[in-house]
Amino acid sequence: TAPPPAVIGAALGAMDVLKSSPNLGNILQANADYFRSLLHDAGLDTLQSQSQIIPIVIGENEKAVAASLRLREAGIIAAAIRPPTVPAGSARLRISITLAHHVDDLERAARQIIQAIKR
């Protein structure tokens, strides 16, 4: 069956945005790379992430959940991803960078994440 008209309209609207601003993908990638560099500078493991979806390996389930809750209180959504979704011993936070995030947002979030994990 065909997609609903609203989905088709949204896809066409997205195509219009990309035509009028073809560098959006590059901007998003640069922001994600910058954010990852802030985390790496603090010694955090983001695996081989190269997209705007960034895992931050913590290891223990309880630590990942606690960090996620602390970040939620700070206004940052960082989902705790645990087994069986990921292998045992590799619980992590998952962050998604968007075009709505500005450099100061990324820097603030990185500071908060580092603080929440190092507690």
Side-chain angles (χ1 to χ4, degrees):
T1 60
V7 171
I8 293 169
L12 291 172
M15 296 300 290
D16 289 340
V17 169
L18 288 174
K19 284 179 190 173
S20 65
S21 302
N23 288 324
L24 292 178
N26 293 335
I27 293 167
L28 178 60
Q29 188 64 52
N31 285 347
D33 291 345
Y34 176 63
F35 186 72
R36 246 188 314 279
S37 76
L38 296 172
L39 300 175
H40 289 166
D41 289 349
L44 299 181
D45 181 5
T46 63
L47 300 174
Q48 289 80 38
S49 168
Q50 295 181 351
S51 76
Q52 79 284 1
I53 301 169
I54 302 173
I56 305 163
V57 178
I58 295 177
E60 297 176 29
N61 293 351
E62 296 78 19
K63 286 185 177 181
V65 171
S68 178
L69 292 173
R70 283 193 289 274
L71 291 166
R72 172 74 64 158
E73 290 170 3
I76 297 169
I77 299 170
I81 310 299
R82 299 161 285 157
T85 305
V86 296
S90 70
R92 62 198 71 181
L93 298 177
R94 184 169 292 155
I95 304 286
S96 295
I97 305 302
T98 73
L99 287 168
H101 296 122
H102 300 284
V103 170
D104 57 331
D105 298 323
L106 299 175
E107 291 170 349
R108 177 184 165 273
R111 282 192 306 273
Q112 293 287 331
I113 289 166
I114 293 162
Q115 201 172 46
I117 292 172
K118 303 271 179 166
R119 268 189 174 174

